[in-house]
Amino acid sequence: MSTPSILIIDDEQVMRDVLTTLLTEEGYKVFSASNGEEGVEQIKQEMVDLVVLDLMLPGQGGLATLEEILSIDPDIVVIMISAYASIENAVRATKSGAFDFVTKPFNNEELLIIVGNGLKKRSLEIENRQLRQTIQEQPVFENIVGKSDRMQKIFDLISQV
């Protein structure tokens, strides 16, 4: 598997720098954007595995950006971060499709664990999709002889399973 790529979308330059340093030191390929629109454009141009997205962004807010990101690629893992933490914000973010919600200031180790878990989730989803596609493409009954109605019913049952 190639090096996971992470996009940081935050309007605070200091936060982008801190996250970029932290994630780069862990071996991730890191991009950053200062607003939602810029971040969405980067997703359209780069393969992104995970997004760290600030809830409070100027212009297009974090939740609208989250919805747009997931409309482009529903498998991208999005971790919302915010200094304005509330249970209501966390619930809204997760109901909108965020993988997790982290409050600022955050603990670096906890954030790295959440990022790692999010990337594992994405990897498993991609692997699952590939396996399903492989199974669907394989001719299941190519070498089995049987044209009777009973055999056809058995083939149908096996296909369903």
Side-chain angles (χ1 to χ4, degrees):
M1 187 174 144
S2 63
T3 302
S5 60
I6 299 175
L7 173 63
I8 300 162
I9 305 175
D10 197 308
D11 59 323
E12 297 175 32
Q13 180 66 47
V14 172
M15 185 58 62
R16 289 195 309 271
D17 291 344
V18 166
L19 287 168
T20 298
T21 301
L22 176 68
L23 296 168
T24 301
E25 287 176 354
E26 289 296 311
Y28 300 118
K29 183 177 177 183
V30 181
F31 307 96
S32 67
S34 60
N35 59 55
E37 295 85 352
E38 184 183 328
V40 167
E41 284 305 310
Q42 285 195 22
I43 288 171
K44 290 178 181 177
Q45 304 203 6
E46 295 284 341
M47 169 62 177
V48 175
D49 297 301
L50 185 138
V51 176
V52 178
L53 174 63
D54 189 15
L55 179 65
M56 301 300 236
L57 292 172
Q60 176 176 310
L63 290 175
T65 301
L66 169 65
E67 290 176 12
E68 192 170 351
I69 288 169
L70 294 177
S71 72
I72 295 168
D73 182 353
D75 292 333
I76 291 180
V77 175
V78 180
I79 298 170
M80 300 292 292
I81 60 172
S82 180
Y84 306 98
S86 71
I87 293 174
E88 180 182 306
N89 285 340
V91 168
R92 279 192 310 166
T94 52
K95 280 187 176 181
S96 296
F99 175 73
D100 209 332
F101 188 91
V102 177
T103 59
K104 294 179 190 175
F106 50 83
N107 176 296
N108 290 352
E109 292 303 314
E110 288 177 17
L111 181 65
L112 290 173
I113 289 169
I114 292 169
V115 166
N117 289 340
L119 291 170
K120 284 178 192 171
K121 174 186 179 272
R122 178 171 169 84
S123 177
L124 288 172
E125 287 174 347
I126 290 170
E127 182 180 351
N128 191 0
R129 187 179 329 105
Q130 289 171 341
L131 288 172
R132 282 188 180 144
Q133 185 177 358
T134 301
I135 289 170
Q136 289 175 352
E137 291 172 356
Q138 290 179 345
V140 179
F141 310 113
E142 185 178 90
N143 296 323
I144 300 176
V145 177
K147 297 192 187 293
S148 70
D149 288 338
R150 284 185 155 176
M151 284 305 293
Q152 293 305 313
K153 287 180 183 177
I154 291 171
F155 293 158
D156 289 341
L157 181 61
I158 292 171
S159 293
Q160 289 176 4
V161 171

